[in-house]
Each structure stands twice: as C-alpha cells, then as structure tokens.
C-alpha cells in the first residue's frame, strides 16, 4: 500500500494523507494550535522547537514519500530549514520539494476534487511563486490537465510587490520559454490587486471576505464609509475584468469546456458567481480548498501521478 503525505508549508499549514492515490485524511494545523492562518516564519528559523500537532496523528506511519509545497519564499536557504524541521517529526523513505510548483499544486488540487477527465485549470492568487528569482511573482496561470498529464501554458508575472522596481511607466511584454507563454509586467492583477485595495480600504490581511461583502452596498442607503465602499466595489469589478481576460486567453490553448478555478482569489464567491453567469458555455468547478491549504493535496497527487 502506497502512503504519501503532502504538506503545505505556506500559510494555512496543511497535511494531506493519501493511501493508494486516495485522499484519506486532511488537516490544517491552525485547527489544532488555534493560531489562525498559521505559517512557519523567520522566528522559527532561529529556534526550531515547535511540534506540529497534526503530525502526532501519523506517528506510527512510515510514508513512502513526504511531498512539500510552499508559496515560494524566494530562497532555498529559507525553505529547507523549515522542511528539515518537519522531517524530524515524521517517518518517511524519501521527500520531495520544488518551490516553483505552487500554482501547479493549486491546479491539481482542483482537478483531484472535480469529476472532470480533462480541464483547463485557471489559478489566481496574490503571488505564490517566483519567476527567475524573487523579483517577479506569478499572479495568474493557465494549465491543461487530464488524468495522465498536466501542462503549464501561461503565466502572468509581476514585480509589483518589489518596491525598488517601482517604475512609474507601466510595462507589459510577452515572451515564451519552454512551451510556456509569459506576460512580464509591473502591473497588479487579481489576488495582488485585491490585497492592495484591501489595505487602501483599511482592512487587515485575511479580511478579504469583509471587503467583498460590503462591495454590494456601494449604491445603497447605508451608514458605511462611502470611500471604503468605492474601494471595495473597484476591487470586485477590476479583478473580475482581470479574470475575464484570463478566460479569454485560455481559449487560445484548449477547446475544453471544463474550467477549474483555484488559488486564493477564488474564495471570492461573489465574483465566482459572476464568472459562471458570464460564461454559460463552460462547466465550472471551484476548488473546495482554493487557498494555500489545498496545495498539500496537489503536491501529493502530483508526485504520484505526474512525475
């Protein structure tokens, strides 16, 4: 019996236990330690003493492989000490880690839970993986996936997160490399744009749902701050336009009528609904663990089926 454990070491630290390619157990560490959106950080790098409560559930299992997924902290010297700390607390024959697969793991998680035999997987988040180095972050991507193969077809990468590249003049240029098309930009898209509007509106990180909820009140009688409502509405409308562009681009790569939505941006149920209504010709499936927790599932399933 093959036993594989996927571990997400991003925020929402999560564990996906597969037996013979079937997900048997899924846990998130913050459900046990009561630290919301728990994530290993640089403080742990200096003094690793945290014992993962979820791993105690697997103390009697020897895994054939433990597969790690991360949002890509930009350097292996940060990632590897975190991984080694996990490995001290779990028994396994081997482990696997590739930091550039964050979006891929999102896509595969959505595909695993869907009933599709093939699909276009569209991933949007706040910048989950690096491009070349930590200067550019991938904000959106397109994948073609079936039971036997997954192909990355497109990535939108931006340096908007990096302050010392804060050029006033906007740039967008296209390039292709190893069969993947890229848009290189210093503009915001999707999840990153939403996070920046979140800050402008005075909300804290992880309060995206609150901003999404009040956006619908822009033109209604309410005591809510009108400036905040305007920002919330812009966040909804502009990021929806960004995603519509991504779907239109996806038509270039496949005639499939099945689309998977994954990545943290797709916790936005309001815009998910608008997308489904706008494109009635497609069969949509929204990843049930669209945030980073789901990448533990994607990492384990990818290791067993696509490597």
């Amino acid at each position: 019996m093959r036993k594989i454990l996927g571990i997400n070491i991003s925020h929402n630290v999560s564990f996906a236990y597969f037996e013979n390619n079937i997900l048997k157990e899924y846990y998130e560490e913050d459900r046990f330690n009561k630290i919301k959106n728990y994530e290993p950080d640089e403080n742990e790098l200096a003094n690793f003493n945290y014992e993962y409560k979820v791993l105690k559930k697997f103390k009697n299992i020897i895994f054939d492989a433990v597969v790690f997924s991360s949002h890509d902290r930009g350097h292996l010297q940060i990632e590897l000490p975190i991984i080694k700390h996990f490995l001290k607390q779990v028994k396994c024959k081997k482990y696997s880690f590739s930091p550039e697969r964050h979006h891929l793991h999102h896509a595969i998680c959505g595909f695993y839970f869907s009933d599709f035999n093939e699909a276009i997987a569209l991933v949007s988040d706040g910048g989950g993986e690096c491009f070349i180095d930590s200067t550019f972050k991938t904000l959106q991507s397109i994948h073609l996936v079936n039971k036997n193969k997954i192909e990355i077809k497109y990535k939108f990468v931006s340096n908007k997160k990096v302050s010392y590249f804060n050029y006033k003049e906007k740039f967008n240029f296209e390039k292709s490399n190893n069969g993947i098309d890229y848009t290189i930009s210093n503009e915001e898209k999707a999840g990153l744009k939403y996070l920046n509007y979140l800050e402008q509106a005075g909300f804290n990180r992880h309060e995206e749902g609150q901003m999404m909820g009040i956006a619908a009140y822009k033109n209604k009688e309410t005591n809510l701050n009108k400036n905040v409502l305007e920002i919330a509405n812009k966040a909804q409308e502009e990021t929806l336009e960004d995603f519509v562009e991504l779907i239109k681009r996806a038509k270039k790569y496949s005639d499939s009528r099945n689309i998977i939505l994954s990545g943290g941006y797709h916790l936005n149920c309001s815009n998910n609904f608008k997308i489904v209504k706008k494109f009635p010709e497609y069969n949509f499936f929204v990843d049930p663990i669209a945030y980073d927790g789901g990448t533990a599932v994607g990492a384990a399933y990818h290791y067993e089926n696509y490597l």
Side-chain angles (χ1 to χ4, degrees):
M1 178 181 291
R2 291 279 292 175
K3 298 179 179 181
I4 308 296
L5 182 66
I7 302 179
N8 159 48
I9 62 174
S10 170
H11 54 80
N12 304 102
V13 167
S14 56
F15 304 81
Y17 171 36
F18 279 78
E19 287 183 359
N20 289 344
N21 231 15
I22 297 173
L23 181 63
K24 306 296 288 188
E25 299 177 48
Y26 174 85
Y27 303 104
E28 295 181 7
E29 183 70 12
D30 59 9
R31 303 287 180 171
F32 295 82
N33 66 14
K34 309 304 180 186
I35 303 173
K36 194 172 183 179
N37 304 303
Y38 172 73
E39 174 182 357
D41 61 21
E42 55 273 12
N43 295 323
E44 291 189 18
L45 292 176
N47 182 23
F48 277 115
N49 54 20
Y50 180 78
E51 294 185 6
Y52 287 90
K53 293 175 173 54
V54 171
L55 288 178
K56 293 178 181 179
K57 290 181 171 291
F58 304 126
K59 63 182 180 180
N60 296 321
I61 298 177
I62 299 176
F63 293 100
D64 292 282
V66 174
V67 191
F68 292 91
S69 185
S70 175
H71 57 42
D72 198 344
R73 293 174 174 86
H75 205 293
L76 287 176
Q77 288 183 344
I78 302 175
E79 305 280 9
L80 289 180
I82 293 172
I83 289 171
K84 288 179 180 179
H85 184 57
F86 276 90
L87 291 172
K88 290 177 183 177
Q89 301 175 52
V90 66
K91 300 172 185 176
C92 65
K93 298 175 183 178
K94 63 175 68 174
Y95 80 94
S96 176
F97 173 62
S98 294
E100 74 278 3
R101 290 176 178 161
H102 182 81
H103 273 226
L104 188 93
H105 291 159
H106 272 306
I108 293 174
C109 179
F111 183 73
Y112 175 80
F113 286 114
S114 75
D115 289 329
F116 299 146
N117 291 317
E118 53 75 31
I120 305 169
L122 305 180
V123 179
S124 295
D125 64 13
E129 63 186 47
C130 295
F131 173 71
I132 302 176
D133 55 28
S134 58
T135 303
F136 285 84
K137 287 282 191 174
T138 303
L139 303 184
Q140 292 186 308
S141 57
I142 298 172
H143 308 73
L144 305 184
V145 56
N146 59 39
K147 299 289 186 181
N148 303 308
K149 182 171 66 172
I150 181 165
E151 298 178 87
I152 306 170
K153 305 304 294 185
Y154 172 75
K155 291 186 178 185
F156 180 95
V157 297
S158 170
N159 67 0
K160 193 64 179 180
K161 275 192 167 183
V162 185
S163 59
Y164 52 83
F165 277 99
N166 190 21
Y167 301 122
K168 292 182 179 180
E169 184 178 350
K170 297 290 185 182
F171 66 81
N172 265 303
F173 63 89
E174 306 277 329
K175 66 170 291 185
S176 296
N177 186 41
N178 294 326
I180 304 173
D181 294 334
Y182 294 89
T183 299
I184 316 295
S185 177
N186 67 344
E187 295 187 47
E188 305 163 350
K189 287 279 186 182
L192 179 58
K193 182 181 288 186
Y194 209 91
L195 290 175
N196 288 334
Y197 275 131
L198 187 76
E199 183 178 348
Q200 289 180 35
F203 290 100
N204 297 318
R205 188 183 179 196
H206 304 303
E207 292 182 345
E208 293 89 340
Q210 295 181 42
M211 189 166 75
M212 179 191 73
I214 68 170
Y217 289 88
K218 178 188 173 186
N219 297 317
K220 296 182 180 179
E221 289 294 326
T222 175
N223 293 325
L224 295 170
N225 184 292
K226 294 188 182 301
N227 183 53
V228 172
L229 292 178
E230 180 68 29
I231 294 171
N233 187 260
K234 285 176 67 177
Q236 287 294 105
E237 291 185 350
E238 290 182 14
T239 58
L240 178 61
E241 290 174 7
D242 291 342
F243 196 78
V244 167
E245 290 177 11
L246 190 67
I247 291 181
K248 290 178 178 178
R249 180 182 282 268
K251 295 179 180 180
K252 168 183 174 181
Y253 302 109
S254 175
D255 294 328
S256 175
R257 286 293 177 258
N258 300 324
I259 289 184
I260 293 163
L261 306 180
S262 189
Y265 177 75
H266 291 292
L267 296 174
N268 192 323
C269 55
S270 176
N271 274 1
N272 287 346
F273 178 75
K274 292 175 182 176
I275 290 166
V276 171
K277 296 289 286 184
K278 188 173 183 64
F279 295 94
E281 69 272 25
Y282 286 107
N283 306 309
F284 285 94
F285 180 83
V286 181
D287 183 353
I289 322 177
Y291 54 95
D292 278 14
T295 61
V297 176
Y301 195 75
H302 177 256
Y303 180 86
E304 283 293 86
N305 294 275
Y306 299 100
L307 290 181

